[in-house]
């Protein structure tokens, strides 16, 4: 007698699985590869039309629907890849300015009004837009002069009585923001496949198909918060070269989408209790929040000896070179460490081509601090499960995290961790490592020195770290929790 198959799940991602590395992609791969009786389809939002697949998909991933947010002329080429040209041609033909005026412009105005209201949600509004794009052409609608006039009229209303206000938008600001709407809302042109459950990997734009599926079919939505989308959006926008109007617009759009995803979700499953404060503040009822910590296979990440050629006191970091990982802070901390442990070596494994200008800044900073061989970017490691063994300890310098795999992987390998107090780091390291404030290079450098100089402390924390992983952070503990949630949602 064959086992009854589990539910079907639409897994919605952005900038991660199956086209990019990182913790979220690892989580997706573990989820799909472990829950083999569940059929997954992946709806992946990407930055460009032709990303390279980074993962071998397991047999229970039956389809991948890739939707590029940027770099396309016609969104429907990717959002509706199976549609016949005759159907596309008909939709373009009926997408007249008159139809946009009567059926789309009112929705756009309501959306812009909702963005300015901190407590509003817009589930039915996004669903109405999706139904409109089911009959009419997405790109032609957004390029319509009617859409432009409605957008400009509504977006500039707060400044009508304040001529000359320094935050008032320029023509460039308005065109930029309308292009953003066209790009970020392109999931509303996707004919969302019918599944039992929609599972979004963050409370952002990948959650739009879940909102649609809930309002169209009553499909339950689960959201797994790794990092908090809105918090990381605030961090990125605050450091970006944008006018005040563009910053405010992007944050208002992101905030509205995030709040709507949260309020639509039947379950919000953060990977750390830390995320709850954001979720509850943005409309999630407490009874819907269920923390599920990430887990790893301790049979893959196992303790082992340090290679013979690593003769210096060595700190290993596993991190892509990007601002959220705050590698600049790690460079400065390396200078502090060098003064305390002169022959120390800080070795960073990870992609260094994610943000080339940032990588160049990090290398220039290391040179200006005369770090020489103290600090090194080692690129991707050939055997990721063994990279932590290259060091005596490991380090994480991020300014934002969810529940980072690098921390529990290092713990499983018997390498104690010095990490910044962000996301769920403290939940993993309490009693097993050293936690320091983010962006405090002095504390980070002293923490690394403390562990390198105290062999007995390292040994004690290594043993405790491995035991903690075996007790609390196994793959099976995490995936069993998701299986249980899926079963509850289907029931």
């Amino acid at each position: 007698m064959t086992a009854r198959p589990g539910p079907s799940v639409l897994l919605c991602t952005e900038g991660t699985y199956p086209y990019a590395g990182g913790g979220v992609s690892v989580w997706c791969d573990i989820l799909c590869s472990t829950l083999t009786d569940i059929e997954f389809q992946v709806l992946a939002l990407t930055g460009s039309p032709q990303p390279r697949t980074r993962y071998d998909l397991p047999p229970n991933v039956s389809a991948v629907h890739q939707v590029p947010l940027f770099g396309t002329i016609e969104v429907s080429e990717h959002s509706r890849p199976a549609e016949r040209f005759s159907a596309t041609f008909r939709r373009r033909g009926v997408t007249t300015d008159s139809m946009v005026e009567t059926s789309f412009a009112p929705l756009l105005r309501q959306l812009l009004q909702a963005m300015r209201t901190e407590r509003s949600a817009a589930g039915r509004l996004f669903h109405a837009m999706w139904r409109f794009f089911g009959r009419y052409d997405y790109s032609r609608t957004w390029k319509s002069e009617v859409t432009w006039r409605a957008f400009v009229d509504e977006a500039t209303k707060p400044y009508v009585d304040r001529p000359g206000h320094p935050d008032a938008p320029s023509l460039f600001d308005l065109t930029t923001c309308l292009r953003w709407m066209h790009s970020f809302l392109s999931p509303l042109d996707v004919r969302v496949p019918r599944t039992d459950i929609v599972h979004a990997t963050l409370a952002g734009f990948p959650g739009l198909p879940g909102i649609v599926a809930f309002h169209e079919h009553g499909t339950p939505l689960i959201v797994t918060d790794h990092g908090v989308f809105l918090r990381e959006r605030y961090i990125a926008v605050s450091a970006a070269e944008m006018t005040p109007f563009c910053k405010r617009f992007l944050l208002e759009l992101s905030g509205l989408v995030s709040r709507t995803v949260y309020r639509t979700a039947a379950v919000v499953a953060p990977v750390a209790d830390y995320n709850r404060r954001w979720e509850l503040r943005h409309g999630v009822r407490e009874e819907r929040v269920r923390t599920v910590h990430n887990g790893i296979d301790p049979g893959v990440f196992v303790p082992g000896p340090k290679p013979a050629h690593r003769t210096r006191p060595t700190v290993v970091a596993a991190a892509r070179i990007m601002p959220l990982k705050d590698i600049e802070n790690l460079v400065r901390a390396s200078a502090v460490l060098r003064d305390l442990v002169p022959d120390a070596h800080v070795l960073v494994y990870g992609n260094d081509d994610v943000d080339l200008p940032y990588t160049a800044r990090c290398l220039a900073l290391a040179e200006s601090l005369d770090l020489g061989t103290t600090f090194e970017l080692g690129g991707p490691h050939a055997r990721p499960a063994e990279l932590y063994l290259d060091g005596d300890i490991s380090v994480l310098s991020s300014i934002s995290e969810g529940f980072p795999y690098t921390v529990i992987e290092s713990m499983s390998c018997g390498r104690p961790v010095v990490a910044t107090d962000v996301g769920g780091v403290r939940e993993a390291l309490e009693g097993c490592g050293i936690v320091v404030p983010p962006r405090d290079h002095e504390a980070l450098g002293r923490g690394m020195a403390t562990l390198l100089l105290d062999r007995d402390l390292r040994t004690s924390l290594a043993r405790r770290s491995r035991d903690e992983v075996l007790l609390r952070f196994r793959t099976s503990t995490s995936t069993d929790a998701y299986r249980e949630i899926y079963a509850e949602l289907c029931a």
Side-chain angles (χ1 to χ4, degrees):
M1 184 175 178
T2 58
R4 183 178 182 275
S8 58
V9 176
L10 179 65
L11 183 63
C12 300
T13 70
E14 180 182 354
T16 55
Y17 188 79
Y19 299 108
V24 178
S25 293
V26 170
W27 175 89
C28 291
D29 188 50
I30 290 173
L31 185 72
C32 295
S33 300
T34 304
L35 301 182
T36 55
D37 60 325
I38 293 174
E39 180 202 356
F40 287 94
Q41 295 187 54
V42 179
L43 197 160
L45 307 187
T46 61
S48 63
Q50 296 176 323
R52 182 172 60 88
T53 301
R54 295 280 297 274
Y55 287 84
D56 294 327
L57 301 177
N60 57 317
V61 175
S62 61
V64 176
H65 313 274
Q66 185 237 342
V67 181
L69 299 181
F70 302 97
T72 61
I73 297 175
E74 291 294 341
V75 171
S76 61
E77 291 179 12
H78 296 273
S79 60
R80 304 160 180 262
E83 184 178 70
R84 293 183 177 182
F85 177 75
S86 58
T88 304
F89 186 78
R90 281 195 300 272
R91 280 192 300 104
R92 291 175 183 171
V94 298
T95 309
T96 61
D97 283 349
S98 174
M99 187 55 65
V100 173
E101 182 79 63
T102 57
S103 299
F104 180 74
L107 298 177
L108 177 60
R109 288 180 180 274
Q110 292 174 53
L111 180 61
L112 293 167
Q113 292 162 11
M115 285 167 51
R116 295 194 291 265
T117 306
E118 175 70 20
R119 301 185 63 83
S120 67
R124 295 188 183 280
L125 185 56
F126 287 126
H127 178 234
M129 283 188 162
W130 176 82
R131 297 203 76 170
F132 175 87
F133 293 128
R135 296 183 61 191
Y136 303 102
D137 187 73
Y138 186 87
S139 293
R140 182 162 291 190
T141 297
W142 285 105
K143 293 174 183 177
S144 167
E145 185 178 344
V146 173
T147 297
W148 168 251
R149 288 201 307 266
F151 175 80
V152 171
D153 180 58
E154 201 63 50
T156 57
K157 273 185 179 177
Y159 304 97
V160 169
D161 298 327
R162 296 185 288 175
H165 192 281
D167 291 354
S170 66
L171 179 61
F172 179 79
D173 291 339
L174 292 167
T175 55
T176 297
C177 292
L178 185 59
R179 283 198 300 269
W180 281 342
M181 293 194 85
H182 172 273
S183 296
F184 289 123
L185 298 183
S186 57
L188 295 178
D189 194 44
V190 176
R191 300 302 91 192
V192 179
R194 185 82 179 262
T195 56
D196 297 315
I197 294 167
V198 176
H199 193 161
T201 57
L202 76 165
F205 299 104
L208 289 172
I211 294 170
V212 167
F214 172 76
H215 285 279
E216 183 72 10
H217 304 299
T219 307
L221 169 65
I222 171 176
V223 178
T224 291
D225 264 338
H226 294 269
V228 178
F229 165 74
L230 199 53
R231 178 178 183 272
E232 294 184 353
R233 182 71 84 181
Y234 283 140
I235 292 172
V237 169
S238 66
E241 294 287 338
M242 298 180 192
T243 65
F245 177 86
C246 287
K247 287 187 175 185
R248 185 178 298 110
F249 184 90
L250 187 53
L251 291 177
E252 287 175 349
L253 176 60
S254 301
L256 178 64
V257 170
S258 188
R259 290 191 299 273
T260 307
V261 171
Y262 278 144
R263 294 178 184 184
T264 304
V267 174
V268 175
V271 297
D273 287 330
Y274 171 87
N275 293 352
R276 284 173 175 255
R277 68 191 72 181
W278 285 83
E279 294 158 353
L280 297 177
R281 178 182 174 187
H282 287 94
V284 183
R285 297 204 301 272
E286 189 158 10
E287 65 271 18
R288 293 189 177 187
V289 181
R290 189 182 308 185
T291 301
V292 181
H293 288 121
N294 291 336
I296 60 164
D297 184 348
V300 173
F301 294 92
V302 297
K306 184 179 171 184
H309 68 278
R310 298 287 183 195
T311 58
R312 299 163 61 188
T314 303
V315 184
V316 167
R320 291 186 290 176
I321 313 305
M322 57 191 297
L324 276 179
K325 302 302 180 181
D326 205 1
I327 304 302
E328 286 179 296
N329 188 49
L330 181 57
V331 172
R332 294 187 176 94
S334 299
V336 175
L337 174 63
R338 176 196 55 195
D339 294 341
L340 299 171
V341 187
D343 58 340
H345 183 202
V346 178
L347 178 57
V348 184
Y349 285 121
N351 290 335
D352 56 11
D353 58 356
V354 177
D355 186 336
L356 292 176
Y358 184 74
T359 299
R361 273 195 353 240
C362 293
L363 292 173
L365 177 61
E367 185 176 356
S368 71
L369 294 174
D370 196 24
L371 287 179
T373 61
T374 299
F375 180 85
E376 179 187 354
L377 297 184
H381 196 283
R383 295 178 296 278
E386 300 176 16
L387 71 87
Y388 303 99
L389 303 182
D390 276 6
D392 301 283
I393 64 173
S394 74
V395 65
L396 179 140
S397 56
S398 301
I399 57 175
S400 182
E401 286 286 352
F403 192 80
Y405 279 101
T406 56
V407 168
I408 55 177
E409 288 169 355
S410 182
M411 292 169 62
S412 186
C413 289
R415 296 302 192 263
V417 184
V418 181
T420 47
D421 191 5
V422 294
V425 166
R426 184 176 291 275
E427 295 167 41
L429 281 185
E430 197 74 70
C432 298
I434 295 178
V435 181
V436 302
R439 288 180 167 155
D440 187 338
H441 65 275
E442 290 282 348
L444 190 63
R446 289 195 303 269
M448 291 188 288
T450 296
L451 286 186
L452 288 178
L453 294 172
D454 192 332
R455 183 184 183 89
D456 290 342
L457 178 60
R458 283 203 317 274
T459 302
S460 171
L461 292 181
R463 183 173 58 252
R464 205 177 304 167
S465 295
R466 173 72 177 177
D467 290 345
E468 191 73 359
V469 170
L470 293 173
L471 180 66
R472 299 177 58 205
F473 304 130
R474 289 175 177 267
T475 297
S476 57
T477 304
S478 174
T479 54
D480 285 351
Y482 287 113
R483 185 190 297 280
E484 182 179 331
I485 293 172
Y486 288 166
E488 290 176 8
L489 293 180
C490 287

